[in-house]
């Protein structure tokens, strides 16, 4: 078995779309990014790549490459899952936390879990997505940024 950790931060600005876990969330502020700026999918992708010791999202999908401009981050996670499968590994379970001051994410959590589970080809019971505020502290607390963190456990494809 192999474990991996991922972490991602995006700035929030007015007029940008807020996409987390593949869900477009109604919000006055959205994440700034070369791709769709989906901090949750980026952190899970990084966790998967980390578990494989296969570099990070920046090495696989550089933000200097026009190919990834406005990209659907689902592509990144799918590619990381393909790399895992090529090594005979699959995600056993993953846990993640999104830190954002607003809006409240609770109504969207199950849709995010379903999206991630589908992209990884695993049961939704194996995908945890949590959300919290930063109690008004720092960049997150002041609504200037969103952060996501994820850990994944990989195991043999066959079990
Ligand atoms: Mg990112």
């Amino acid at each position: 078995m192999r474990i991996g950790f991922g972490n991602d931060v995006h700035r929030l600005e007015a007029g940008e779309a807020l996409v987390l876990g593949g869900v477009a969330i109604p919000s006055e502020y959205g994440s700034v990014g070369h791709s769709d700026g989906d901090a949750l999918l980026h952190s899970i992708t990084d966790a998967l790549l980390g578990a494989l010791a296969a570099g990070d999202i920046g090495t696989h999908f550089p933000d200097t490459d026009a190919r990834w401009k406005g990209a659907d981050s689902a592509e990144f996670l799918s590619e990381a899952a393909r790399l895992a499968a090529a090594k005979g590994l699959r995600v056993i379970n993953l846990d993640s936390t999104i830190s954002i001051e607003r809006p409240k994410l609770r109504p969207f959590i199950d849709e995010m879990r379903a999206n991630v589970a589908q992209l990884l080809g695993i049961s939704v019971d194996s995908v945890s997505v949590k959300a919290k505020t930063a109690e008004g502290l720092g960049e997150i607390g002041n609504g200037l940024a969103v952060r996501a963190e994820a850990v994944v456990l990989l195991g043999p494809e066959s079990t």
Side-chain angles (χ1 to χ4, degrees):
M1 295 203 287
R2 303 183 69 109
I3 191 168
F5 170 73
N7 166 51
D8 194 42
V9 174
H10 281 264
R11 279 187 296 120
L12 294 174
E13 286 185 3
E16 298 282 340
L18 181 62
V19 181
L20 290 167
V23 181
I25 294 162
S27 172
E28 192 181 339
Y29 297 89
S31 51
V32 179
H34 185 72
S35 66
D36 62 9
D38 191 326
L40 179 61
L41 293 191
H42 293 180
S43 70
I44 296 170
T45 301
D46 247 3
L48 251 165
L49 293 172
L52 298 169
D56 60 31
I57 197 167
T59 54
H60 287 269
F61 314 103
D63 63 9
T64 48
D65 188 340
R67 187 178 159 200
W68 307 117
K69 176 100 180 113
D72 180 347
S73 296
E75 285 184 55
F76 303 160
L77 185 54
S78 296
E79 174 61 17
R82 272 193 295 275
L83 290 172
K87 294 191 172 188
L89 295 165
R90 67 178 175 88
V91 173
I92 294 176
N93 78 303
L94 73 90
D95 186 20
S96 63
T97 300
I98 303 166
S99 298
I100 191 169
E101 206 64 13
R102 67 189 76 81
K104 291 292 179 201
L105 298 182
R106 186 167 299 279
F108 309 101
I109 292 288
D110 283 344
E111 193 178 347
M112 294 182 202
R113 293 174 62 214
N115 284 345
V116 171
Q118 195 206 342
L119 287 168
L120 296 175
I122 61 177
S123 162
V124 73
D125 293 340
S126 301
V127 178
S128 164
V129 177
K130 309 187 300 298
K132 65 195 303 174
T133 71
E135 300 281 343
L137 296 170
E139 290 89 349
I140 306 282
N142 283 303
L144 299 174
V146 55
R147 173 187 298 126
E149 294 159 298
V151 290
V152 305
L153 184 66
L154 301 184
E157 193 82 80
S158 54
T159 57

